Amino acid sequence: MTETNTSTNANHAVGRPVVVKGGIQKGRGCVRPVRTIVFNVAGVTFENRQTLLEMCAEAGVTTCTIQAEPVPGIDSNAKSVRVQVDGESYHIGFVPRRITGIVEAGGAQVLAIDTFDPDGASVYYCKVRARRV
């Protein structure tokens, strides 16, 4: 049974989980939940990235890598999103600027690569789930 408590030591010694402020469980035998964030990759319409996304969709890409990639004069905190297709690494876009501070670099999951039709023109987008810092 889980108890609500703002302290991290109540019942901790006996191995029962304790829910602390923020809802994170601590205690022996408990798995701490991984916090994630879902976002659409930014910049997918630039630098021939639509062709890359089409290739990724056809290849069934399910994972990607997020890494720090500062853009001089534009965004010193930028994080790029890269995918592997046939052993080659491709840059498909960026983590949106408003959330770069809370997205952890490393492996991430591609949830969807699909199209939508604004103004009758088919455009690819990519939705990603990544770890929060």
Side-chain angles (χ1 to χ4, degrees):
M1 183 167 170
T2 304
E3 296 180 26
T4 302
N5 195 323
T6 56
S7 146
T8 58
N9 59 4
N11 293 322
H12 189 268
V14 293
R16 289 187 291 185
V18 176
V19 177
V20 296
K21 188 174 182 181
I24 296 176
Q25 292 186 344
K26 294 184 178 183
R28 203 171 337 146
C30 291
V31 176
R32 189 175 174 153
V34 176
R35 295 174 13 151
T36 61
I37 186 167
V38 174
F39 60 90
N40 285 331
V41 177
V44 296
T45 59
F46 297 98
E47 299 174 357
N48 204 30
R49 294 182 188 139
Q50 287 291 293
T51 304
L52 291 174
L53 285 174
E54 182 178 14
M55 180 178 66
C56 291
E58 291 171 359
V61 171
T62 59
T63 60
C64 62
T65 303
I66 297 172
Q67 64 187 42
E69 191 171 307
V71 180
I74 297 175
D75 188 356
S76 61
N77 297 317
K79 292 182 181 171
S80 67
V81 179
R82 303 185 76 79
V83 294
Q84 289 267 3
V85 179
D86 297 330
E88 293 288 323
S89 177
Y90 296 100
H91 176 223
I92 60 167
F94 292 91
V95 173
R97 185 179 295 182
R98 71 183 187 285
I99 62 170
T100 55
I102 62 171
V103 174
E104 185 177 285
Q109 178 184 13
V110 174
L111 298 176
I113 298 176
D114 209 345
T115 60
F116 68 100
D117 299 315
D119 304 323
S122 186
V123 176
Y124 277 90
Y125 70 92
C126 180
K127 185 171 287 214
V128 170
R129 175 182 290 135
R131 288 175 166 252
R132 291 181 71 133
V133 176

